[in-house]
C-alpha cells in the first residue's frame, strides 16, 4: 500500500511540476508579447533622423516611413490579438496548476498519514513485545 502511495505521490509531484512549468512558459509568452507591443509602440512615432540638420530624412521623403508605420500598426493589432488569446488561455493553465497542486497536497497528506500509522503500529508492537517479556 505504501509503495503504491509513494508512486502516486511521485506521479502527482511530477504532474504538478509539469503544470507549473507550463504556466511559467505561458507567462513568459505573455511577457514577450507585451514587450514586443511596447517596443513597436515606442518606435512607431520615432521620426527618422536626416544626415545633417535641416535635411528631410530619405525615409520620410520616399514614403518608406509611412509604409513602415502602417506595417507596425498592423503588427501591433495582430500582437494584441495574440496577447488577448494568451491571457484568456492563462485561466486554463492556472486551473491545471491548481488541480495538480491539490492532488500533490492530497497525496502528500495521505503519505504522511500512512507513515504516522506505520510508526504507531511499530510503537504498539514494540510496546506489546516489551510487556510480554
Amino acid at each position: 500500500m505504501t509503495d503504491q502511495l509513494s508512486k502516486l505521490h511521485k506521479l502527482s509531484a511530477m504532474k504538478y511540476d509539469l503544470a507549473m512549468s507550463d504556466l511559467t512558459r505561458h507567462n513568459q509568452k505573455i511577457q514577450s508579447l507585451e514587450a514586443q507591443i511596447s517596443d513597436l509602440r515606442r518606435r512607431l512615432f520615432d521620426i527618422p533622423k536626416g544626415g545633417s540638420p535641416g535635411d528631410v530624412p530619405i525615409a520620410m521623403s520616399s514614403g518608406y516611413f509611412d509604409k513602415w508605420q502602417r506595417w507596425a500598426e498592423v503588427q501591433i493589432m495582430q500582437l494584441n490579438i495574440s496577447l488577448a488569446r494568451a491571457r484568456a488561455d492563462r485561466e486554463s493553465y492556472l486551473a491545471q496548476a491548481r488541480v495538480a497542486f491539490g492532488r500533490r497536497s492530497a497525496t502528500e497528506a495521505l503519505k504522511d498519514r500512512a507513515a504516522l500509522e506505520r510508526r504507531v503500529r511499530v510503537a504498539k508492537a514494540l510496546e506489546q513485545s516489551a510487556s510480554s517479556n
Side-chain angles (χ1 to χ4, degrees):
M1 173 75 173
T2 58
D3 187 42
Q4 290 176 344
L5 195 54
S6 179
K7 288 178 182 178
L8 182 63
H9 177 65
K10 285 180 184 177
L11 178 64
S12 65
M14 288 172 35
K15 285 191 168 207
Y16 172 74
D17 291 343
L18 176 64
M20 290 306 293
S21 68
D22 287 346
L23 179 61
T24 300
R25 204 171 20 261
H26 191 72
N27 285 338
Q28 289 171 345
K29 178 182 175 183
I30 289 173
Q31 289 174 345
S32 172
L33 288 168
E34 288 172 342
Q36 290 174 14
I37 291 168
S38 177
D39 182 51
L40 276 176
R41 282 188 178 149
R42 182 183 47 79
R43 294 182 344 182
L44 188 60
F45 297 107
D46 285 349
I47 298 175
K49 298 187 178 10
S52 61
D55 283 351
V56 175
I58 193 156
M60 297 290 283
S61 62
S62 68
Y64 170 77
F65 186 67
D66 293 334
K67 288 181 184 179
W68 183 86
Q69 279 184 318
R70 284 192 296 277
W71 173 85
E73 288 170 349
V74 169
Q75 285 299 112
I76 290 171
M77 190 177 1
Q78 290 173 348
L79 287 170
N80 275 325
I81 290 168
S82 296
L83 180 61
R85 284 186 186 132
R87 285 182 176 160
D89 290 344
R90 186 172 186 274
E91 290 303 315
S92 68
Y93 285 98
L94 281 171
Q96 289 173 0
R98 283 187 201 110
V99 167
F101 175 77
R103 286 181 179 158
R104 185 192 70 167
S105 298
T107 58
E108 195 170 291
L110 288 172
K111 186 178 171 188
D112 291 345
R113 186 178 345 153
L116 179 62
E117 288 172 358
R118 190 173 45 249
R119 281 187 294 238
V120 168
R121 276 195 311 266
V122 168
K124 284 182 182 180
L126 285 173
E127 186 178 299
Q128 285 178 356
S129 72
S131 67
S132 67
N133 286 338

